[in-house]
Amino acid sequence: MRPNPSLKRRRASAGSVRLVRGLWGIIADQPYAACLRARLSSNVRPQRTHMAAPEPPKNPPGGIHISRGVALRIPAGGLQISLDESGEVKVQFKEIHLRLDTSTEWLEIAMERLADCDAAQTALLAAYAANEEVGDHIHRVLKASMQAIVASATFFEALYAAARDHLPPNRVVRTPDGRPGRSREAYVTEQLKQAFGLKKKGTTQLRSVLGEIYRFRDETVHPQASFGPPAWHPDLRLLVERRVAMFSFSNTKLLVRAALAYCKILPEVAKKQGPKEIKALADYLLTSGEPLFQRWEAKYGPLLDEAAA
């Protein structure tokens, strides 16, 4: 007797795991999916100020919290000024917009993960010198390195986005789809050149640095799982998979330093020769980056080479 397909469908509960076309996946029925969308919408979808707000807590602080990196804008029609019955001026915000610049946050993440990588490297070398098992230490270095380098690359992506938002349309670099032979770092370099007023030499140096940072980032976010020849670990007399050799503490330190250095170099160049629209962003980068500059130099030495300073 052939099974009734409708019975199978009725037996499948929300969130049950089934084999679908050879792949395991979570199959959720419509009520579960609707509930999930409702919960997500309250957290991740933009909210307008005139929408119904949740019930406030007791003794709420009130107002709008503007944290570091957040800018406020009142769109057209967002501010209403009127007179009440007694002739007093009444000001009401109908709508506001907020914008968060995460560039410095990504540098903080990079620095935190670099510190983890440094600690893992110390433990690795100690275990190797004592002829102990080093596998776990190698993977701690690898994981911290990958995260630090991805964070360093994302700093440039966040800076790219922030610069575009500050600039007039004639200085925003277009990124047409389907243009062959143009890498992502090429677009980012061109936009930062326009934003911060880099000359030819500075643009060439930035493109070279971004080429290396994005090469390492791509090895992380677009990983391959193919076989290949091993490489010598830079600190151990061991052959390892090539990405284990790539994502070492020494390479991570170089790339994080480069990202942090450009948080200082670019705004200093902009204050001398950049467009006026970028001055506020330049000031923010120098102010928010200063604690990181000091932390680097206290632990690792000079942030900038003499030629770059």
Side-chain angles (χ1 to χ4, degrees):
M1 179 177 178
R2 298 179 64 182
N4 187 340
S6 63
L7 292 178
K8 289 186 178 181
R9 285 195 294 269
R10 286 197 294 269
R11 292 192 192 105
S13 60
S16 61
V17 179
R18 297 186 293 175
L19 188 64
V20 181
R21 294 181 183 179
L23 299 175
W24 284 99
I26 297 178
I27 308 301
D29 62 10
Q30 188 173 355
Y32 177 85
C35 178
L36 180 63
R37 284 195 300 271
R39 292 190 178 187
L40 287 175
S41 66
S42 65
N43 294 322
V44 304
R45 293 184 181 177
Q47 302 291 319
R48 294 181 179 271
T49 55
H50 62 265
M51 295 177 67
E55 184 176 348
K58 294 181 179 180
N59 302 319
I64 301 170
H65 180 67
I66 306 296
S67 57
R68 187 190 72 185
V70 175
L72 182 148
R73 182 179 68 181
I74 303 173
L79 179 64
Q80 185 179 70
I81 302 176
S82 60
L83 296 176
D84 61 17
E85 295 178 355
S86 62
E88 295 291 331
V89 176
K90 182 181 179 181
V91 179
Q92 183 179 12
F93 289 101
K94 305 295 288 185
E95 184 178 356
I96 64 168
H97 292 169
L98 299 177
R99 180 194 67 207
L100 172 63
D101 177 1
T102 62
S103 52
T104 307
E105 275 70 18
W106 283 109
L107 285 179
E108 289 179 345
I109 294 171
M111 289 282 288
E112 291 164 2
R113 298 290 79 78
L114 177 64
D116 293 343
C117 191
D118 193 355
Q121 171 78 357
T122 301
L124 169 62
L125 295 180
Y128 183 71
N131 200 26
E132 297 174 353
E133 173 59 39
V134 297
D136 289 343
H137 300 297
I138 286 177
H139 280 274
R140 283 180 57 207
V141 173
L142 172 68
K143 290 186 289 185
S145 171
M146 290 192 297
Q147 293 174 63
I149 292 171
V150 168
S152 298
T154 310
F155 157 72
F156 286 102
E157 290 290 333
L159 190 57
Y160 167 89
R164 290 170 69 87
D165 194 69
H166 281 77
L167 293 174
N170 65 317
R171 282 186 172 268
V172 174
V173 176
R174 294 185 178 182
T175 54
D177 295 331
R179 182 174 178 179
R182 197 82 190 272
S183 62
R184 176 61 182 171
E185 62 264 25
Y187 287 119
V188 175
T189 300
E190 183 62 27
Q191 185 60 80
L192 297 183
K193 167 192 170 184
Q194 294 288 336
F196 293 95
L198 294 177
K199 303 299 183 184
K200 183 177 180 180
K201 181 179 179 181
T203 303
T204 301
Q205 291 172 341
L206 175 61
R207 174 67 185 274
S208 176
V209 168
L210 287 184
E212 287 302 302
I213 291 178
Y214 275 75
R215 180 169 70 89
F216 274 72
R217 184 207 66 163
D218 290 348
E219 288 279 1
T220 300
V221 300
H222 305 297
Q224 297 182 359
S226 55
F227 283 96
W232 285 104
H233 192 283
D235 303 305
L236 312 175
R237 294 178 59 84
L238 296 174
L239 284 170
V240 294
E241 205 272 349
R242 66 176 183 85
R243 280 165 295 187
V244 175
M246 283 182 66
F247 293 100
S248 63
F249 170 69
S250 56
N251 285 342
T252 306
K253 181 181 174 184
L254 285 172
L255 297 177
V256 172
R257 181 192 181 196
L260 187 59
Y262 270 103
C263 183
K264 190 171 187 177
I265 293 170
L266 290 173
E268 288 182 344
V269 171
K271 294 180 78 170
K272 298 176 183 177
Q273 58 198 39
K276 65 180 186 299
E277 295 89 353
I278 211 69
K279 302 298 184 184
L281 177 59
D283 289 338
Y284 170 71
L285 290 172
L286 290 174
T287 301
S288 61
E290 183 59 31
L292 299 177
F293 306 152
Q294 294 180 5
R295 192 188 310 172
W296 179 277
E297 295 190 341
K299 186 172 181 61
Y300 299 114
L303 176 63
L304 303 180
D305 295 329
E306 292 184 4

